[in-house]
Structures are given as structure tokens and as C-alpha cells.
């Protein structure tokens, strides 16, 4: 009897767990693979990565691909919205039931462009007989801080979209050969324009917000394509929109590949007796420098791993190369001070004349 009571208790507990799990809804943080303290940038980065992996076109043999992709879109829609995220954190998915849910197609296209996106191929592999609108290339200025840490940039675009309009129009016009019989055994071949009849269309501007990910270590002149976001074509497909990266000049650091260069000016006293200082890096962390020996003008110091992350492998970083300039005193020395310096340094005259550019 006691055993039966225990079994009944276990069954009740199991049912309670299942009911609680169902009412709690989906775990959006788990779906995106982020923690509950994740920043909006972390959420966008996670969505962008998973959207490419889980897209149904890339997983044709997975019967659950559509559901996984839909769950991903729902998770991003909620966690990327501050108010919806607060409601979800407080009441779970059930607290969002009354709210409006957007289209996952719109979310995906804001990161990658329209669903003309073809996995495993590119636009050039599609039917070349389909006319396309012109591609658009826009320069996107990014800071060196964004190159170092990465970022997401929202770009608002007014895109002309073809909408149905009253009436008909000629479309798909083409040259065709027509053969006319002029008499017995006599034929004439002529070329003429032939058109189909299509529903009329008009172009209407629609505002779209595109999410451009500035990846860590991105290089100047690299392009980020958004499929189908270019100029429209009323008889075919729109062209593509490509953002071309332009890295802005920085007042402190100069980029050379994955390395960063900077100059530090020190006093003559610091050059002779040594010094220590901090350089504030692009993400705010401090690089500590210690010199306990004489620093000559033009001397360089390498700080490995303090450069930019490599675009292909962000675990690899370049170096920070620091060049030292020495600022000499502006005031003139009197004879007593000059004699004191000669006595202190005990350095004789060195006046060597040579070809300093030899070999260059």
C-alpha cells in the first residue's frame, strides 16, 4: 500500500512538472544561447549566427527546421525589445500572449536582406534571363573602436517597393522572329517586338531598418551584402545593397593590418631616468608601460596581443607598437647649468658624420 502511495506521488509530481513547463513557455535565452544578463549586442550577434545555421533552406532534411527557425525569431523579437524583455523576465512567455508578434521574415531580412537569399550559392547562379535592378554600394563609416570591439549599426533605408496598381501594362518585351509567306516557295523573316500583358504596378517607398554587424577586425573596403535591397525592377528582381566599410582615422592609433601604432611624447628627464604610464586602449582598458632605462628618440616598444583582433580568427591579435618622442626643454641653459650637465653625464664629444640613408 505504501509503495502504491509512493508511485501515485511520483506521478503527481511528474504531471505538475510537465504542466509547469508548458505554462512557462519557451526559454528564449536558451534558444539564443545567451545568459539572462546578455546585452542587446550579444543578443543580435547570437541571432545572426544562429539564423544562418537554422534557416530551413539550409536544413531541408530536418522536419523540425521550420519550428526551430520560428522559435529563434520569437526569441529575438522579445529579447531585443526592452519592454517585451521585461514582461518576459517577469511573467514568462504567457505574459506576452496578448501582444503583437511581428514576422520572422522581417527580422531575418533586416540582417541579411530579402528571402531571395540562396544558401549554398549566390545571385549569379540564378536564372540569368530574369532581369535585375541595379546594385547599390554605400560607404559605411566605422570607428576604430568599433573595429576593435565589434558593433551593430542600424541603417534606416527608404526602399522603393513594387505594388499592384489599376490597369494593365506591357511587360517581358522581347525580339522574336516572325515568318511571313509571300507566295509559293517564298518566305520573309522579320524581327518584331513582342510583349506580354501584366498587371500594372507602381513603386512605393517603404522604410526599412537594416542591422549591419561590424565584425571585430573588419578590414577597410570589405563589403556586407543585403540581398534584394537594391534598386527594384518592375519585371524582375531587385538588385542588392552592399555596405562598403570605411574605417575612420583615429587621433591616437594608426592601423597597419592587425597591428596598432601610436606615439608617446616624454620629457628629457623621463628619457634619461625612466618613467611609467598608462595608455587608454580602444575599449577603455589600460596598457601599462614601464621604462627603467634610457629611452632614445624614436625608440620603439612592442606590446604583443594589444593590437586588433584578426578578422578570420578573433582569438589572434596583433601588437601595439609604441614610438617614443623626446621633448627637450624650451629654456636655454646658462654656463653653470651646462657645466653641471657635463659633470653629471661624463660624456665626451661624439661628432660622427655618416650616410644615414644607406641601404634605403
Amino acid at each position: 500500500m505504501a509503495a502504491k502511495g509512493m508511485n501515485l506521488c511520483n506521478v503527481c509530481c511528474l504531471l505538475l512538472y510537465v504542466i509547469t513547463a508548458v505554462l512557462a513557455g519557451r526559454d528564449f535565452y536558451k534558444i539564443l544561447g545567451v545568459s539572462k544578463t546578455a546585452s542587446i549586442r550579444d543578443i543580435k550577434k547570437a541571432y545572426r549566427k544562429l539564423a544562418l545555421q537554422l534557416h530551413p533552406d539550409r536544413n531541408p532534411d530536418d522536419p523540425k527546421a521550420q519550428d526551430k527557425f520560428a522559435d529563434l525569431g520569437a526569441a529575438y523579437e522579445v529579447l531585443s525589445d526592452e519592454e517585451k524583455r521585461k514582461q518576459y523576465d517577469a511573467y514568462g512567455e504567457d505574459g506576452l500572449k496578448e501582444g503583437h508578434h511581428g514576422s520572422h521574415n522581417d527580422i531575418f531580412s533586416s540582417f541579411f536582406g530579402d528571402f531571395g537569399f540562396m544558401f549554398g550559392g549566390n545571385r549569379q547562379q540564378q536564372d540569368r534571363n530574369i532581369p535585375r535592378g541595379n546594385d547599390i554600394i554605400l560607404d559605411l563609416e566605422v570607428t576604430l573602436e568599433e573595429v576593435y570591439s565589434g558593433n551593430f549599426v542600424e541603417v534606416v533605408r527608404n526602399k522603393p517597393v513594387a505594388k499592384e496598381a489599376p490597369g494593365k501594362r506591357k511587360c517581358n518585351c522581347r525580339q522574336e522572329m516572325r515568318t511571313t509567306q509571300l507566295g509559293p516557295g517564298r518566305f520573309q523573316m522579320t524581327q518584331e517586338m513582342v510583349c506580354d500583358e501584366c498587371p500594372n504596378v507602381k513603386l512605393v517607398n517603404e522604410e526599412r531598418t537594416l542591422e549591419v554587424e561590424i565584425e571585430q577586425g573588419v578590414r577597410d573596403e570589405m563589403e556586407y551584402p543585403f540581398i534584394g535591397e537594391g534598386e527594384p525592377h518592375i519585371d524582375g528582381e531587385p538588385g542588392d545593397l552592399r555596405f562598403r566599410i570605411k574605417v575612420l582615422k583615429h587621433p591616437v592609433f594608426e592601423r597597419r593590418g592587425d597591428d596598432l601604432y601610436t606615439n608617446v611624447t616624454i620629457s628629457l628627464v623621463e628619457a634619461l631616468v625612466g618613467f611609467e604610464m598608462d595608455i587608454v586602449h580602444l575599449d577603455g582598458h589600460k596598457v601599462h608601460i614601464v621604462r627603467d632605462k634610457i629611452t632614445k628618440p624614436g625608440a620603439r616598444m612592442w606590446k604583443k596581443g594589444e593590437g586588433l583582433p584578426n578578422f578570420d580568427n578573433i582569438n589572434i591579435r596583433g601588437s601595439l607598437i609604441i614610438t617614443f618622442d623626446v621633448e627637450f626643454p624650451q629654456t636655454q641653459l646658462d654656463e653653470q647649468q651646462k657645466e653641471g650637465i657635463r659633470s653629471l653625464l661624463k660624456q665626451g664629444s661624439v661628432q660622427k658624420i655618416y650616410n644615414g640613408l644607406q641601404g634605403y
Side-chain angles (χ1 to χ4, degrees), residues 70-176:
D71 288 346
L72 182 67
Y76 177 78
E77 182 187 0
V78 170
L79 298 187
S80 63
D81 184 288
E82 187 176 350
E83 288 303 316
K84 289 181 181 178
R85 186 175 180 179
K86 285 180 181 177
Q87 282 185 315
Y88 176 78
D89 288 344
Y91 307 109
E93 190 179 2
D94 195 52
L96 303 165
K97 296 296 184 184
E98 302 301 321
H100 170 72
H101 294 278
S103 166
H104 191 189
N105 289 12
D106 294 337
I107 297 172
F108 186 86
S109 62
S110 72
F111 282 88
F112 303 102
D114 282 342
F115 265 84
F117 193 93
M118 294 183 66
F119 292 101
N122 55 46
R123 292 278 290 227
Q124 283 67 38
Q125 294 172 330
Q126 298 183 40
D127 189 347
R128 296 188 179 184
N129 293 323
I130 299 176
R132 289 184 66 231
N134 293 327
D135 290 345
I136 299 173
I137 300 177
L138 293 177
D139 288 340
L140 183 62
E141 293 182 342
V142 301
T143 64
L144 202 56
E145 285 84 356
E146 290 174 316
V147 175
Y148 185 83
S149 301
N151 194 20
F152 278 88
V153 177
E154 287 189 357
V155 179
V156 179
R157 163 164 162 70
N158 286 311
K159 176 186 176 182
V161 179
K163 301 286 187 180
E164 286 191 20
K168 301 287 184 180
R169 65 183 176 86
K170 291 182 178 181
C171 62
N172 302 325
C173 295
R174 58 204 176 273
Q175 294 284 345
E176 289 188 357

Side-chain angles (χ1 to χ4, degrees), residues 29 34-40 42-43 85:
Y29 290 101
V34 296
S35 69
K36 290 190 176 183
T37 59
S39 66
I40 185 64
D42 293 334
I43 289 167
R85 186 175 180 179

Side-chain angles (χ1 to χ4, degrees), residues 122-310:
N122 55 46
R123 292 278 290 227
Q124 283 67 38
Q125 294 172 330
Q126 298 183 40
D127 189 347
R128 296 188 179 184
N129 293 323
I130 299 176
R132 289 184 66 231
N134 293 327
D135 290 345
I136 299 173
I137 300 177
L138 293 177
D139 288 340
L140 183 62
E141 293 182 342
V142 301
T143 64
L144 202 56
E145 285 84 356
E146 290 174 316
V147 175
Y148 185 83
S149 301
N151 194 20
F152 278 88
V153 177
E154 287 189 357
V155 179
V156 179
R157 163 164 162 70
N158 286 311
K159 176 186 176 182
V161 179
K163 301 286 187 180
E164 286 191 20
K168 301 287 184 180
R169 65 183 176 86
K170 291 182 178 181
C171 62
N172 302 325
C173 295
R174 58 204 176 273
Q175 294 284 345
E176 289 188 357
M177 298 299 296
R178 181 179 293 275
T179 303
T180 306
Q181 187 171 0
L182 302 177
R186 295 179 61 205
F187 296 90
Q188 183 182 35
M189 296 185 70
T190 56
Q191 205 174 40
E192 64 178 39
M193 182 71 72
V194 178
C195 298
D196 297 331
E197 192 176 72
C198 296
N200 201 12
V201 296
K202 62 178 179 180
L203 295 177
V204 179
N205 275 344
E206 289 187 355
E207 189 175 280
R208 299 283 299 275
T209 300
L210 304 177
E211 296 272 1
V212 186
E213 182 182 10
I214 310 303
E215 298 175 274
Q216 288 179 279
V218 65
R219 303 183 186 103
D220 213 27
E221 300 293 327
M222 287 185 71
E223 293 184 355
Y224 285 86
F226 280 74
I227 307 302
E229 292 293 336
E231 292 293 341
H233 195 296
I234 59 173
D235 290 326
E237 299 175 343
D240 298 337
L241 171 62
R242 298 201 296 273
F243 290 102
R244 183 168 52 197
I245 297 298
K246 293 288 184 183
V247 182
L248 297 172
K249 290 291 183 182
H250 196 275
V252 175
F253 300 102
E254 179 73 15
R255 179 185 192 173
R256 290 287 184 271
D258 294 335
D259 294 330
L260 290 173
Y261 288 77
T262 191
N263 280 57
V264 171
T265 301
I266 58 175
S267 68
L268 179 58
V269 173
E270 290 171 320
L272 293 173
V273 303
F275 63 95
E276 61 179 292
M277 63 175 293
D278 291 324
I279 296 177
V280 180
H281 213 301
L282 292 165
D283 64 344
H285 83 270
K286 294 179 180 180
V287 180
H288 193 61
I289 297 172
V290 177
R291 296 280 293 182
D292 54 4
K293 57 185 178 181
I294 291 175
T295 303
K296 298 178 182 178
R300 282 185 169 181
M301 174 186 284
W302 269 258
K303 302 289 282 187
K304 290 185 178 180
E306 290 290 356
L308 292 173
N310 181 271

Side-chain angles (χ1 to χ4, degrees), residues 294-354:
I294 291 175
T295 303
K296 298 178 182 178
R300 282 185 169 181
M301 174 186 284
W302 269 258
K303 302 289 282 187
K304 290 185 178 180
E306 290 290 356
L308 292 173
N310 181 271
F311 179 76
D312 299 311
N313 184 356
I314 61 172
N315 295 317
I316 299 174
R317 292 177 180 265
S319 298
L320 173 62
I321 296 104
I322 306 158
T323 302
F324 295 102
D325 306 316
V326 179
E327 185 175 281
F328 282 71
Q330 299 297 315
T331 56
Q332 297 297 319
L333 303 178
D334 58 31
E335 288 301 322
Q336 185 177 356
Q337 290 171 326
K338 291 177 183 178
E339 190 58 39
I341 291 175
R342 292 190 190 100
S343 174
L344 178 66
L345 298 180
K346 295 182 174 60
Q347 185 179 22
S349 174
V350 179
Q351 298 179 351
K352 181 180 178 182
I353 302 172
Y354 67 102

